[in-house]
Amino acid sequence: MELTGFSIKKNINTVIGINKRLEPAVNIQGDVYIQDQTSNIIDYYIPISKEVLELAVVTTIDSYTIELVDATNVIVGDYIIIKKGTRAYQAGVLSINGNVLTMDTPVDFNFDIDAIVESRIINLAVDGSINRVLAEFIPPPNAVVDINVLTLCITDSTDMDDSRFGGIPALTRGIVVRKARNASGYISIFNAKTNGDLSHRMVLEYSDKAPSGFFGLRASKYINGQEGNGVSIRLDGNLDERLQIIIQDDLTGLDSFKMTVRGHIVEN
């Protein structure tokens, strides 16, 4: 679309009635392009790191199996993350046969054996009361990521209300959400000791047993947009930036506690 010979100052001044300053008009002639906003999305758990692993062979696209050099400490239920460049694959382990893992999601990229591989724990219902535990989302190497939504889900056999954390008593120290950058410290985002605290930071709802099973709590923090903080949380993999959850209380009384991030790779 071409704009030709449109006098910005003349037209604006005429409309608002302040055409007394005889300044030169500004003429624009150029092409305007509308670019669609597309890039690889991020939709991952925020896990606890468990062990660094190695691929034994190059992964095969659409295969449900990956082969490791040593899978001795991997257990069913672990999450495996494989990263190379700006590509990342994350999936749960369904079964183990020697060093071959069967995953719940087919591999979506041919990762070389020099790719970064780790086993991780996605259930954050752990004991951090003696030694605090860190759960982290770390961008792929050489990638910049914008985080737009932070989500949380808790299940418990005990009914929940605003005075508790999930179904357990209020925490002493609370969970902390923060942005970390090893070279220059941290930016704390919020601390929550109760479900009520979470409701101040996130859109929260409870769910009842129906009629058996577990009580539930779901919450979402919309970071960018008018209903959120207005801007995304930007994480630069080259600067070793990551989003962290600090667990500093005993959360083992919960059945499950999981958090995820949603966003996209930033493309220049």
Side-chain angles (χ1 to χ4, degrees), residues 74-230:
V74 179
I75 62 173
V76 171
D78 280 353
Y79 253 64
I80 303 297
I81 181 77
I82 307 176
K83 296 188 288 188
K84 178 77 173 182
T86 59
R87 292 300 299 262
Y89 165 81
Q90 181 173 266
V93 178
L94 293 179
S95 64
I96 304 169
N97 183 9
N99 291 324
V100 177
L101 311 181
T102 298
M103 313 303 294
D104 63 6
T105 304
V107 177
D108 57 9
F109 187 73
N110 290 131
F111 291 99
D112 296 327
I113 59 174
D114 64 347
I116 298 170
V117 187
E118 292 183 7
S119 59
R120 296 178 171 183
I121 300 167
I122 61 172
N123 187 353
L124 309 185
V126 298
D127 187 357
S129 60
I130 305 300
N131 297 306
R132 71 179 190 178
V133 178
L134 285 180
E136 299 182 303
F137 168 75
I138 305 173
N142 304 314
V144 177
V145 171
D146 276 356
I147 301 301
N148 301 325
V149 183
L150 177 68
T151 68
L152 174 153
C153 181
I154 296 175
T155 60
D156 201 345
S157 57
T158 305
D159 198 359
M160 305 181 188
D161 60 44
D162 286 358
S163 69
R164 306 174 71 81
F165 185 85
I168 63 178
L171 307 182
T172 300
R173 293 178 174 171
I175 63 164
V176 176
V177 179
R178 71 182 185 183
K179 175 181 175 178
R181 182 178 177 184
N182 284 352
S184 59
Y186 308 94
I187 299 174
S188 296
I189 299 173
F190 69 84
N191 177 304
K193 300 177 178 65
T194 65
N195 302 329
D197 290 344
L198 289 174
S199 71
H200 296 310
R201 311 290 187 166
M202 311 176 79
V203 179
L204 180 148
E205 63 178 351
Y206 298 105
S207 58
D208 292 330
K209 290 183 179 181
S212 60
F214 295 93
F215 295 96
L217 179 152
R218 295 182 298 274
S220 298
K221 180 174 178 60
Y222 300 96
I223 300 166
N224 65 344
Q226 293 182 347
E227 75 276 28
N229 298 88

